[in-house]
Amino acid sequence: MTRPIVLPGELLASNPKVAGAGTYVDKGKVYAKFLGLLDKSETSVRVIPLKGRYIPSVGDVVIGIVREVTSNGWAVDINSPYQGFLPAAENPEMRPNRKPNDILEIGDIIIAKVVNIDPKMKVTLTMKDRMCRAVRFGRIVPINPARVPRVIGKGGSMIKLFKTELGVQIIVGKNGLIWISGDRRKVNIVEEAIYIIESEAHTEGLTDRITEFVKRRKGELNGQ
Amino acid sequence: MVSEDLNRLSGDIQLIVDGKRLDGRGFDELRPINIKVGVLKRADGSCYLEMGKNKVVAAVYGPREVHPRHLADPVKAVVRYRYSMAPFSVEERKRPGPDRRSIEISKVSREAIEAVVMKELFPRSGIDVFVEVLQADAGTRTACLNAASVALVDAGVPMRGLISSVAVAKVDDVLVLDPMKEEDNYGQADIPFAFFIRNDKIESIALLQMDGRVSRDEFKEALEMAKRGAMEIYQMQKEAIKAEYMIESEEVNSDE
């Protein structure tokens, strides 16, 4: 199924009840809000963005850098127009007799989850989740947030490929930061593969090419 | 100025010869337009646009944090627009930096852009639009607005629709679309328009300026002429964006 490209202001439907993400309603008509692909079904109309900054939404797993330490938590850069805030109470490592400074310092990297966004776009993070942790080892690879679905692949196929072929740990933040950990040479291969995924605009059969690339590089490693 | 007025009155400079303009165009014909999308790697969205001899490039950054902080608005994004002419863009070298003219153009263009950008979606952030005129003929402000509108779409900024802009001038007592330099300098009036276009229809006027003298009827005719010109430009803007994203859309389609 091919989805057509829509531009801002294109009329998508005349029933405001079907308006979904990436659309807006004016005088009972549904229009596209930004450049993207039209995804239309009988019950909903939405636009899948092709470009744009990372805008947080509740439930997203993000990777952030601690920018400021305060008495009641940490201000975290989440690669977005907005800064995230991790309250001290949302970090399970926090004990009553410890200060925020002893747990996370400026420059530390964390994997966190977005729990709340208030109308003024104050983003609250939490680390009370299985996936969340402070990053003490491994590597961070930054990519364009719009390419994140491409790195994950269809049904997580790309991630699965990296995990099974190379045995690395990998967590993709919705904000375009990716954490990889494992054998350093294998992490190198994953990093290269991610950059290939990000840069190749014309990607017919990208999954196959990445599979081939990973296998070839792995073969080179074992051959040495 | 006085000598120019005399020249015009005495008919020394004839801008319309045998029903044709100096460059051979008809009265309601645009100059050739060329649009390229995504020309700057480091900007979030960009566009290079040629309108006749005008060459402009637009870059969009954002939404991003606003610096200095006190400029940020807690309920909506701030839009900043900078129109600037390169020193080598005109015949006589222009001193670099903002002057009264470019400050005015930046202000009215920003207001035109604000009519379509959905600022309320990004409280406490800023959207910066920079347009640089690399070569100026006439109607650089309209060329810049057209480029900025495409660059905003390229940046993925939420918008209500597109902005398309064109000027109408009065020369030798007739109205002409998209005036070039001679028509601008020696004409009787110059009226730049910008329209908010949504779903292939003109919704409203986003920018309207005028300098010179026209009658009430002539003004109405100029508006109709500008609308037709803007629709032509709008189609070209749309095509340019769609062509740029054709390959990428196939990729996303095959992926999901």
Side-chain angles (χ1 to χ4, degrees), chain A residues 3 5 7-9 11 24 26 31 33 35 37 51-53 55 81-82 120-121 147 150 154 201 203, chain B residues 44 63 65 118 122-124 154-155 158-160 198-199 238 241-242 245 248-249 251 253-255:
Chain A
R3 304 188 183 99
I5 305 173
L7 297 186
L11 184 68
Y24 73 96
D26 188 36
Y31 300 95
K33 198 151 73 175
L35 173 78
L37 298 176
K51 265 282 206 66
R53 289 282 169 112
I55 303 300
Y82 306 105
K120 284 179 186 159
M121 290 308 278
R147 306 270 187 198
R150 214 88 337 105
K154 200 189 288 175
T203 51
Chain B
D44 291 319
E65 271 181 61
M118 301 176 99
F122 304 103
R124 297 195 293 126
D154 182 38
M159 297 195 284
R160 273 174 263 275
R198 176 164 70 181
N199 195 37
K238 237 169 80 166
I241 298 164
K242 289 206 169 169
Y245 280 93
E248 186 141 2
S249 79
E251 159 199 351
N253 278 318
S254 66
D255 242 33

Side-chain angles (χ1 to χ4, degrees), chain A residues 69-74 88-89 91-105 108 134 136:
Chain A
V69 185
T70 63
S71 58
N72 50 2
W74 300 269
N91 189 339
E93 280 181 57
M94 193 69 190
R95 300 279 178 277
N97 54 348
R98 295 181 80 184
K99 290 192 180 108
N101 238 324
D102 305 333
I103 297 163
L104 290 171
E105 282 223 56
D108 282 359
R136 309 274 183 218

Side-chain angles (χ1 to χ4, degrees), chain B residues 83-103 105 132-133 136:
Chain B
Y83 165 97
S84 151
M85 287 176 100
F88 51 81
S89 64
V90 273
E91 268 169 45
E92 188 89 12
R93 179 184 184 273
K94 182 193 168 293
R95 244 182 79 128
D99 49 28
R100 277 168 61 162
R101 178 176 168 275
S102 47
I103 291 167
I105 294 176
E132 190 75 30
V133 179

Side-chain angles (χ1 to χ4, degrees), chain A residues 140-203:
Chain A
I140 299 287
V141 180
I143 59 157
N144 180 347
R147 306 270 187 198
V148 163
R150 214 88 337 105
V151 173
I152 295 171
K154 200 189 288 175
S157 60
M158 289 281 190
I159 300 292
K160 236 177 265 168
L161 170 75
F162 295 139
K163 280 185 175 164
T164 54
E165 281 295 320
L166 298 165
V168 296
Q169 271 186 290
I170 179 164
I171 291 178
V172 183
K174 274 274 174 68
N175 58 342
L177 297 183
I178 301 165
W179 174 72
I180 323 163
S181 159
D183 180 350
R184 200 198 301 156
R185 288 168 304 175
K186 286 177 178 167
V187 170
N188 283 342
I189 299 174
V190 177
E191 185 175 349
E192 277 178 57
I194 288 170
Y195 285 138
I196 293 173
I197 298 169
E198 195 197 5
S199 64
E200 307 233 319
H202 47 89
T203 51

Side-chain angles (χ1 to χ4, degrees), chain B residues 228-247:
Chain B
R228 285 194 297 273
M231 283 312 295
E232 262 181 69
I233 293 170
Y234 170 72
Q235 294 301 343
M236 285 185 256
Q237 287 172 307
K238 237 169 80 166
E239 264 167 45
I241 298 164
K242 289 206 169 169
E244 176 67 22
Y245 280 93
M246 217 56 214
I247 303 154

Side-chain angles (χ1 to χ4, degrees), chain B residues 180-193:
Chain B
M180 56 180 181
K181 195 163 179 250
E182 292 76 9
E183 291 166 339
D184 194 22
N185 289 352
Y186 306 110
Q188 294 146 294
D190 177 28
I191 320 170
F193 290 93

